[in-house]
Amino acid sequence: MRQAALLVLEDGAIFSGRSCGAAGEAFGEAVFNTAMTGYQEIITDPSYMGQLVAMTYPHIGNYGVIPGDEESDQPRLAGFIAHEICAKPSNWQSAESLPDYLSRRGVVAIDGIDTRALTLRLREKGALRGVISTVDLDSQSLLRKVRQSPSLIGADLAQAASCPKTFSWSQSGGAESWRLAVMDFGVKYGLLRRLAALGAAVQVFPAVADPRDVLAFSPEGIVLSNGPGDPAAAGYGVAAARAFAESGIPVMGVCLGHQLLALAFGAKTFKLKFGHHGANHPVKDLETGRVAVTSQNHGFGVDTESLPKFLRATHKSLNDGTCEGLAHAELPVFSLQFHPEAAPGPHDALDAFARFAALMAERRRRLASHA
Amino acid sequence: MPKRTDLETILVVGSGPIVIGQACEFDYSGTQGVKALRQEGYRVVLVNSNPATIMTDPDMAEATYIEPLTPEVLERVIARERPQALLATLGGQTALNLAVALAERGALEKYGVELIGAKLESIRKAEDRQIFHRCMQELGLDVPRSLAVSDLASAESAGRELGFPVIVRASFTLGGAGGGIVYHQGELLSKAQAALEMSPIHKILLEESILGWKEYELEVMRDRKDNFVVVCSIENVDPMGVHTGDSVTVAPVQTLSDRQYQEMRDDARKIVSAVGVETGGCNVQFAVDPGTGRRVVVEINPRVSRSSALASKATGFPIAKIAAKLAVGYTLDEIANDITKATPACFEPALDYVVTKVPRFAVEKFGEFALDTAMKSVGEVMAVGRTFKESLQKALRGLENGRKGFESARAASEEDLMKGLATPSSSRLEFVKAAFERGMSASEISKITGIDAWFLNQMEELARFEARLGREKITAELMQEAKRLGFSDEQIARARRTKAARARALRHELGVRPAFELIDTCAGEFESKTPYFYSTYAGAPSLAPAPSAPAKKTRASKSRRVVILGSGPNRIGQGIEFDYCCVQACQALREMGQESVMINCNPETVSTDYDTSDRLYFEPLTLEDVLEILDFEKPLGVVAQFGGQTPLNLARPLAEAGVRILGTQPKAIDLAEDRRLFGRVLKSLKLLAPRSGIAENPRQALAAARRIGYPVMVRPSYVLGGRAMEIVYDDASLKTLAAKALSASEHSSLLIDRFLADAAEIDVDAVSDGKDVFVAGVMEHIEEAGIHSGDSACTLPPHSLSPKVLDAVCRATRSLALKLGVRGLVNVQYAVKDGTLYVLEANPRASRTVPFVSKATGVPLAKIATAVLMGRPLRRLLSAKLLKAPPRLPYVATKEVVLPFIKFPGLDPRLGPEMKSTGEVMGLGPDFPSSFAKSQEASGMSLPKSGAVFLSVKDEDKPALVPVARELLRLGFSLIATRRTKEFLARHGIEAAPVAKIGEGKPDVADLIRQKAVSLVVNTPSGKRERADGFIIRRTALELDVPFITNIRSCQAALGAIAAAKATSAAGQDARPLQDYYRDLAPEIRAARAGRGMRVQRRPAAV
Ligand SMILES: Nc1ncnc2c1ncn2[C@@H]1O[C@H](COP(=O)(O)OP(=O)(O)O)[C@@H](O)[C@H]1O
Ligand SMILES: Nc1ncnc2c1ncn2[C@@H]1O[C@H](COP(=O)(O)OP(=O)(O)O)[C@@H](O)[C@H]1O
Ligand SMILES: [Mg+2]
Ligand SMILES: [Mg+2]
C-alpha cells in the first residue's frame, strides 16, 4: 500500500488519497485541467508554477514518461492531483513510470481522490489555495497552513520561472534564416521548438533582461513568452513589451506575453474565476471566421472593454467570449492568449507562426527596399 | 454561414432492416437528423423499409415511404416528391450505396437533386479502397501494402507477392462482409471468390496483414469553413484482426501520449480534407505498431456509423444532428452544444470518465465463432464508469449473458486456455481472467493476445482484488474499493459465498452507495443542463464537507416521474422493436405531462438519445443497478412491459423490493409464463392448448413425450426468441436435447408440447385496461407453425383465415387478457389446425410485432398502452367500434424478416422454432400478393420472373408441390428436379428436367446453382431425416445469391407475388407514403392515431 496523503483547500474541503510522488508538503493554487492526454507536458510547463494541478481525466500516467516530451528542464507545478495514477505504463516510447518520475523529481502528488468533486468545487468557488501533504495528516493543521499561504494575485512568478541567463536554443535541421529573440517568462520548449522550426536562430533572454541588450542582438522578431503568475505584477515585462513594440520589430506575445503586451498598451487584465486549462478550447479567429480547437492555460485574462482604439481583438473564446488575441493597428505586433504551439493539445493554431514569419518577411522587404 | 434557403424538400434515406453490421444506430442517427431538418423548417421525405424504426413513425417526416430500398423505388419517390436534395449520410452503407447508384443511373441529374452531406466524389474516394489508398499515399500517409484484383488468377499472384497471412477486403460492403484473413495459399481462392461475389463492383483488395497492431478510431466532424473537431477517440482492446464492431472498445484513447495522439489527429484532419468531407461526420480508423509506433490508415467512413453513435452516446455530442445541420449550410460555430446550452458545438468533448463498449454475440444461436475482419456481433452494451475497470465490469454485467462482471471461463484446461487466449472470440476476456487466476502475467497474456498490457494490467488488478474479496473481512473501505473497481453485488456475493441480496444489504449498512454523475461534454468545466447520468463509486469517502453538491441538485422533487426499463443490448429475439416501444412510451408520457426516466445500456438506440426521455440513465439493466437508480429517483412507478424479456424478468424482484410496477403485475406475468398456471387459465376459459407436459429432468421428459405422442416441441421456460427450442421426433433425440436445454434456462424446467404439424400460426397484439380489450392486429403467418414467429413473414389483415376463425381469435384474446389481468400490452400466439384454434403462448408485454402493427394500422399501440398504464381507460382513448373489432384496413401490410446466415459460414440456412432473424421489413400494397412482393423485394429477395426453378421438397410437402409446379409452368418457368421428385411430378403429368444429386454425377445441383443456371431454388428440409445434400444446396444458393425458398407456404405466396409482379406494368408498383395510406382509414382509426384522450388537458389560454 502506498502512503496516505491529504489535499486540503482553503474553504475547508478535505480529500484523502494516497501519495503518488515525493514525500512532502506542497502549497499552491488548485486548478483543474481537462486535457485527456499530455500530463507530462503539463507537469513540466513553467506556467503552472505555484499551482496544484488536478487532472479531470481519471487515468493518468498510462503511457509513462517519454523522453523529449517535456516542456522545460524540470517539473514546475507545485503539486499534482489525479484520480488514479498508473504505476505500470505501456507505450513503446515510455522510459519510466509517472510515480517514479514524480518521486525522483521531487514532485508532491496525490491520487485516489474524487477529481470530479474537486473540479465542481473549483468551478463554483473559483480557484482556491490548497495543500497536498504526505507528512502532516492532520487536516486542521493543514487548513491553518493553507490559509496562511500566499495567493497568486499580485504574485510575480515569471522571474522565478525564467532562465537565469541568456542562451541559444539549438535544434537540429533546417537553415536558420531568421534571428529571433524570446523573452523567457517561463517559456515552454514547445514554443521554442515551433519557432526554431520556422528556420530561426532563437536566442532566449531572461525575463528581467534589459530590453536594450535584447535589441542589441538585432533580432528580426521578438517573442514574449508564456509564463506563470499575475501579469500586473511583472512590471519589467510590461516595460520590455512596450520597448519592443515601439522598436518596429515584429512582436508576438503568447499567453502571459499577450497579457503583458495588453498592459503595455494601457489595457487591463483581470483574474478569471477558475481560468482556462485544457486542450479543447474553441477560439474563433474574428478575421477569417475559422475556429481552432486550442490548448490553453491561463488564470488571468485581458479585459476587452479596456482595449485602446489601436488594439483590436482578433480572437475570441467561444466558451466565455473572453479575449484570445490582439493585433496592433499600425505596428507589427500581435498576441495570442492560447498556446499556438499546443503541447499538449491539437495543432490547429500553428498558422500563428507563419503569421509571425510573414511579419518578419515584410519587415525584411521594407528594410531592403529602403537600403 | 446560415442555413440554405434554396432547399425546400430534402430526401432522407434510412438503412433498411437490421442486419449484422447495420443495426438500430441508424434509426438513432436518422431520427436525430430528420428532427433537426424539420426544426430548420425543411420538408422531409423519408424512405426506409424497416417499420420497427422511430424514424418511420408517421409524424417524424412529412412523407414517409416504407418501401424497398432500391434505386428504382427511390427514383420513383424522387419523381413523385421532387426533393431538391438527398441526404444519404445518415442511413449507413445502404443509403450511401443507394446514393451512388442513383447518381450513376442519372436519376439525380434528371430530377435536379443535389447530394448533400457527402459529395459523390468524396464517397468514391472514401469507399473504393484502391482510390483511397492512392489518395493516402499522395498525402504522405502510410497504408498497408495492397493489391487490387478482380479475378482469381491475379488474386493468386497478389497473395504470393504480399505473403501470408493476407487480408481480403471487398469494396463498398458493410461490416467487413466478404472479407477475411487468409492464412495460406490453399484457402485464398475460395475466400477471394466469395469476396468478389459480395462486392457490388466485383473488385477486392488483398492487403498486407497487420494483425495484432493497436487499433484506433477517431470520430470527426468538418464543416465547409474547414472547422474540424474530433468528437471522440476510441481505442480497441482487441487488436487489429478483430472487426471494430466485434472488439471491446474504450473511449477515450488510453495508451497514446499527447504527441502520438495529436499526430493521429493531424492525419485525420488531412484525410477528411483530402477526401472532401466538408459537411458532416466521418469515422477514421488507424492502426499503430505497438513496437515501433508506425501508424497506418485503415479506412474511413464518410457518414455517421455505429462508432459515431457510440461516440455520441459516450460524449454527449449528437453527431447525426449536427451532421444534418452542417449538410444544410450551417458551420460548427453556429450550432449550440445541447448539453451545456451555453457553449458551441465547435469543440472537442473532454471526458472525465471512461466508456467501454462490449459486443454481444448470438452464441446461443450460432455457436462460438473465431472473430476476424468480418463483423459477427448482433448488439452491444456501453457502460460508463470513472475508471476503465468500473466501466468494463459494468459493461460485462450489462451483457445479460450470465456473467456478472469480469469473470473467468469455466474450468478451462491448460490447452483450452492457450487456445482461448490465442483465438479471438466472444469469450476471450473470460480466458484472460482464467489466465490471471492461473498466475500468468499481463505481459505473457499480452504476447499471446496482442491486447495492450495497459488493459491487461487493469484486468489483473480486478483479478487480484477478487481474490482479496474472498479472503479479507469486509470493511467499509474494502466494500468501497470493490465497488470503485466495478464489482457487482452478485460478484461480491459469489466471492463471499452468499446471496446478492445479502451482499447488497451489507453494502447499504456500510453506507456504500453510488453517486450519479453527469455526462456533460466538458469534464465538469461548465454547468450542464441536460440530465444524462451514469453511476459511479469513484467518490472516495471524503472526511469533511461531502463534495457531492451536484448529486443533490439532480434529484427532482415531485414525483411525476415514471421509469421505463429498456431492453439492453440487441440480441436475436430482442432488438429494435422493443426500443421502439420504449421510445413511444417516453413520448406518450411527455404528451400526458409526466416525466419519463429511461434506463438502458444500449448505445445504438433512440431510447438512449438524451432528448428522448426527460432523464436518462446509461446503466446496465440488472436488479442492483436499477434498484439504486430507483432509490435515487423515487419515481411514481416503473414500466417493465416495453423492453422485452429483460425488464419483464426484473418485474418480480423489483416488486418484491417494494417497487411499484405500473401495468400488468408480476402475479399476472407468472400466470402467463408459468405453464401450469397458464394451463389452468386456458382450461377455465375453455381454450385449447396443444397437449403438454413439464419436465425437470430427462427422465420426466421421456415420460411426458410418450404420453403426449411424437412429434413434440421442447422448450425451456422463461426465455425469449425460442432459445434451445426444438421439434423432436423420437426418444433418442429427446434425451440429448433435454440435457442440453436444461442448462440454457436458469429456471430449469422443460416444457413439452404436442407439435402441431402443418398448422397455420397467428400472432395477435392487444391492449387491455382490465375492462376493455383493444385487439389491434391479428397477423397471419405465411410459414406454418413450427417456424418461429420472429422468423415468419406475416400479413395484416390475414390473407386466408375465415371470419369464423378470426372471430374466435379475437374472442380468445379478449378473454385471455382479462383473465390474466393484463394492464397494457399483451401478445398471444395461436395455431389453427384443421379448423381448431390452439393457444401457443401469451406474452404479457410488448411484442416484436408492436411496431409493425402500429405502422400497418396507424394506431400507436405502445402510446395507447402507456396511457392505460397511467390509468386512462381505453374507452377514453378509443372509439367503441375499435374496442369491438380490430381496425379494418383498406390495404395489406406484410412483414418479412432478414436472416444473418451469410455471416456464419457452415450454418444451415433453414428456419425452425428457434429464432434466427435479425430484422424485418414491411411491404404495403392494395392486396396480399402485391404487398408480399414488396416485402420480398425489401428484404433483398429478388424473385425471378423467368428461368429454371429447382424443386426438391420433403415428403410431407409433395402433395402441395403439384399445384406449385403447375403454377410455375404457367408463369413461364422451366423446372429442374432430381430423380425422385422428377418421377413424382411425372406421375402428375408435370415435366421437369433431370439433374444429378450431389455427388452422383456432374453437373450436380450445386454446380447448376454455381453456374447460375437456376434462377430459384425451392428446397424444404425434412425435420426427421435431413440429408447433407439439402444443406449444400441451400448454402450454395445463399452464398451465390441465388433466391431460395425453404418453405412450401412461402413458395405459394411467392408465386402469387411473381404473378402480381408480372401483371403490373414495367414501371413496377407505385411507391406511396404512409400518410397517403392512412388517409383511406376509417375515421375512428384516424382518431385513435391522433391520440384522442392522451394529451394533458391544457388550461384555456388567457385572452
Ligand atoms: N491489413 C490488415 N491487417 C489485419 N487486420 C486488418 C487489416 N485491415 C483491416 N483489418 C481488421 O479488419 C477490420 C475491418 O476492416 P475495415 O477496413 O475497418 O473494414 P470495414 O469496412 O468492414 O469496417 C478492422 O477493424 C481491423 O481489425
Ligand atoms: N405446439 C406447437 N406446435 C407447432 N408449433 C409450435 C408449437 N409451439 C410453438 N410452436 C412454434 O414455435 C415458435 C416459438 O414458440 P413460442 O412458444 O412462441 O416461443 P417464444 O417464446 O420463443 O416466442 C412459435 O412461433 C411456433 O411457430
Ligand atoms: Mg472498419
Ligand atoms: Mg412466441
Side-chain angles (χ1 to χ4, degrees), chain B residues 788-789 829 841 843:
Chain B
H788 195 275
S789 55
Q829 290 164 26
E841 67 160 352
N843 296 307

Side-chain angles (χ1 to χ4, degrees), chain B residues 692-814:
Chain B
S692 71
I694 299 183
E696 260 145 32
N697 57 46
R699 198 173 38 77
Q700 289 177 2
L702 284 179
R706 289 200 188 118
R707 178 170 56 73
I708 293 164
Y710 287 102
V712 291
M713 174 72 113
V714 183
R715 68 178 119 187
S717 58
Y718 283 93
V719 294
L720 187 73
R723 193 168 141 200
M725 271 178 73
E726 254 171 76
I727 302 160
V728 180
Y729 294 87
D730 50 47
D731 280 359
S733 353
L734 182 61
K735 239 187 264 169
T736 17
L737 179 77
K740 183 182 115 197
L742 282 170
S743 73
S745 162
E746 286 183 24
H747 306 254
S748 50
S749 63
L750 270 190
L751 310 174
I752 301 178
D753 288 354
R754 166 90 199 169
F755 177 69
L756 302 171
D758 203 29
E761 186 166 349
I762 298 167
D763 239 279
V764 181
D765 284 312
V767 184
S768 170
D769 63 2
K771 281 205 189 68
D772 290 297
V773 179
F774 168 47
V775 178
V778 177
M779 291 152 274
E780 179 179 355
H781 291 197
I782 308 302
E783 291 84 355
E784 71 278 6
I787 288 173
H788 195 275
S789 55
D791 283 354
S792 305
C794 69
T795 77
L796 188 75
H799 64 101
S800 79
L801 293 182
S802 70
K804 215 182 96 204
V805 170
L806 251 178
D807 191 52
V809 165
C810 289
R811 265 186 291 120
T813 305
R814 281 203 188 87

Side-chain angles (χ1 to χ4, degrees), chain B residues 204-412:
Chain B
I204 59 168
L205 216 58
L206 296 194
E207 204 171 274
E208 166 201 2
S209 153
I210 47 173
L211 291 172
W213 287 27
K214 291 148 82 88
E215 186 164 3
Y216 294 92
E217 291 178 84
L218 298 188
E219 296 303 321
V220 311
M221 302 212 76
R222 181 165 179 260
D223 69 18
R224 59 182 78 239
K225 278 202 303 203
D226 189 35
N227 293 319
F228 168 91
V229 295
V230 176
V231 174
C232 187
S233 63
I234 301 174
E235 177 160 354
N236 289 11
V237 173
D238 295 283
M240 286 292 283
V242 177
H243 196 276
T244 49
D246 286 351
S247 297
V248 173
T249 64
V250 176
V253 158
Q254 300 294 334
T255 65
L256 293 181
S257 74
D258 186 67
R259 185 191 296 270
Q260 294 158 1
Y261 168 70
Q262 298 301 345
E263 283 173 2
M264 186 181 279
R265 184 183 180 280
D266 290 345
D267 286 356
R269 181 165 201 161
K270 269 197 231 163
I271 295 168
V272 295
S273 318
V275 169
V277 177
E278 56 181 25
T279 50
C282 183
N283 154 278
V284 189
Q285 297 172 24
F286 293 96
V288 172
D289 183 336
T292 64
R294 180 185 153 200
R295 179 175 60 252
V296 304
V297 183
V298 177
E299 67 151 358
I300 75 166
N301 293 298
R303 53 174 171 85
V304 306
S305 60
R306 179 180 46 259
S307 301
S308 76
L310 181 74
S312 296
K313 301 292 166 69
T315 60
F317 190 110
I319 294 176
K321 173 179 181 169
I322 291 182
K325 294 204 173 190
L326 297 184
V328 296
Y330 284 108
T331 50
L332 284 165
D333 53 314
E334 294 169 335
I335 306 169
N337 175 344
D338 271 356
I339 301 280
T340 61
K341 310 262 193 222
T343 51
C346 194
F347 81 114
E348 304 196 338
L351 278 54
D352 59 358
Y353 48 81
V354 177
V355 172
T356 302
K357 175 215 79 174
V358 181
R360 163 134 186 167
F361 295 87
V363 178
E364 71 279 14
K365 303 282 179 180
F366 307 125
E368 272 283 10
F369 271 83
L371 302 179
D372 57 22
T373 59
M375 184 172 159
K376 295 191 172 55
S377 64
V378 293
E380 59 193 34
V381 169
M382 177 183 115
V384 191
R386 188 63 64 82
T387 60
F388 169 66
K389 290 165 285 222
E390 188 176 39
S391 73
L392 176 71
Q393 298 240 58
K394 283 173 81 175
L396 290 172
R397 73 174 178 258
L399 273 183
E400 294 177 54
N401 64 354
R403 305 263 178 264
K404 310 300 181 193
F406 181 51
E407 296 185 342
S408 55
R410 249 170 298 185

